[in-house]
Amino acid sequence: MNLIEIKKAVEQETEQDITVNNRRRETVYARSIYYKLCRIHTRATLSRIAKTVNKNHATILHGIKLYDDVIRKYDDLKEYKNVYDKLDRVFKRINAQN
């Protein structure tokens, strides 16, 4: 997997443009899913992930923490957890085939 493929998949599933510079909850959560998937399924550095969405490495760390501490734990955010789980399964399958 590469960063561009992950970005496209997240944007398609969440129907959000994660490069937009806003703080809408839906966009922030979509970016958080993207950051987490990139860390797990690529060897990209935080800085490299950050450049794909015009952010910095600290923002990536914060977004991953947001996913771990908020999205995974609250039932009313289940739709975002489901998006993450679905894409995680797809990427694991692709990585296993390669």
Side-chain angles (χ1 to χ4, degrees):
M1 292 305 313
N2 67 44
L3 299 176
I4 295 169
E5 292 170 334
I6 295 172
K7 182 174 169 278
K8 285 180 184 177
V10 169
E11 288 179 334
Q12 184 176 12
E13 284 296 317
T14 62
E15 298 178 352
Q16 297 292 319
D17 179 359
I18 62 175
T19 59
V20 168
N21 190 19
N22 71 39
R23 294 183 182 180
R24 288 182 47 231
R25 186 174 302 216
E26 300 84 11
T27 308
V28 171
Y29 290 162
R31 279 194 295 254
S32 182
I33 291 167
Y34 169 69
Y35 303 151
K36 182 78 172 173
L37 288 168
C38 287
R39 286 300 280 174
I40 290 174
H41 295 287
T42 72
R43 293 180 182 221
T45 63
L46 294 173
S47 294
R48 198 162 135 225
I49 295 167
K51 285 179 185 178
T52 64
V53 288
N54 302 315
K55 303 292 180 192
N56 64 47
H57 75 283
T59 303
I60 306 308
L61 285 174
H62 177 73
I64 292 170
K65 185 172 173 46
L66 174 73
Y67 179 82
D68 291 338
D69 293 347
V70 177
I71 297 173
R72 288 187 69 190
K73 294 182 180 178
Y74 292 101
D75 286 338
D76 56 332
L77 299 175
K78 194 177 235 176
E79 66 185 89
Y80 294 101
K81 185 180 179 322
N82 291 341
V83 167
Y84 173 84
D85 290 341
K86 176 183 177 182
L87 292 175
D88 186 48
R89 281 191 305 273
V90 168
F91 298 151
K92 282 180 181 174
R93 212 171 319 137
I94 291 170
N95 287 336
Q97 292 173 353
N98 294 336

